[in-house]
Amino acid sequence: MTQTPYEVIGQEKLYQLIDHFYSLVEQDNRINHLFPGDFAETARKQKQFLTQFLGGPDLYTQEHGHPMLRMRHMPFPIDDKAKEAWLENMHIAITHAQLPHGAGDYLYERLRLTANHMVNIEN
């Protein structure tokens, strides 16, 4: 039986990664202004989303409905610079998390594709 990426990474590691990521974002003046003031709530929603995104329980959909990521991000001006800052912080968090072999590369690539889709304005 093949494990989902969520099962390979595990909830504890995933949640630690997300908390570390948002501690980086909160201090990153390139993008912290794009996030609502409550980083703990933003991290909570990201935990729900990534759990579901990686094949775990559909926590995000249960509480918030379909993710509709692009629509939910439209109120925030996301250009290539913001995308790159987001990805840089995520790469640091993934590297720091020391995920099982291959899981970090998989996660980063999936998130890179998603981040590209979130860009909604030109530089």
Side-chain angles (χ1 to χ4, degrees):
M1 179 185 291
T2 304
Q3 289 184 303
T4 65
Y6 174 76
E7 291 167 333
V8 170
I9 294 169
Q11 179 182 4
E12 184 176 346
K13 276 249 189 227
L14 181 64
Y15 284 15
Q16 288 171 353
L17 182 158
I18 293 165
D19 287 337
H20 184 214
F21 169 73
Y22 280 107
S23 73
L24 296 169
V25 169
E26 188 170 6
Q27 304 201 21
D28 189 334
N29 292 330
R30 297 174 298 171
I31 57 173
N32 58 12
H33 62 279
L34 295 173
F35 291 83
D38 187 355
F39 280 89
E41 177 61 12
T42 302
R44 185 184 77 81
K45 288 179 180 177
Q46 181 75 286
K47 289 171 185 173
Q48 291 175 324
F49 174 74
L50 284 180
T51 294
Q52 182 170 323
F53 184 72
L54 295 171
D58 64 346
L59 303 177
Y60 189 92
T61 298
Q62 287 178 34
E63 184 173 337
H64 310 285
H66 190 282
M68 300 181 292
L69 288 183
R70 187 154 165 84
M71 187 204 73
R72 291 184 194 269
H73 287 81
M74 286 308 276
F76 309 102
I78 303 170
D79 60 13
D80 282 324
K81 290 178 183 175
K83 173 195 76 173
E84 291 303 325
W86 191 95
L87 285 169
E88 180 184 310
N89 285 301
M90 184 55 76
H91 188 266
I92 292 167
I94 289 170
T95 301
H96 183 264
Q98 298 181 331
L99 301 179
H101 180 71
D105 293 339
Y106 173 83
L107 176 58
Y108 183 79
E109 182 58 22
R110 293 280 314 269
L111 292 175
R112 187 186 66 76
L113 295 171
T114 302
N116 285 332
H117 186 63
M118 295 301 107
V119 172
N120 56 28
I121 63 169
E122 293 188 25
N123 289 346

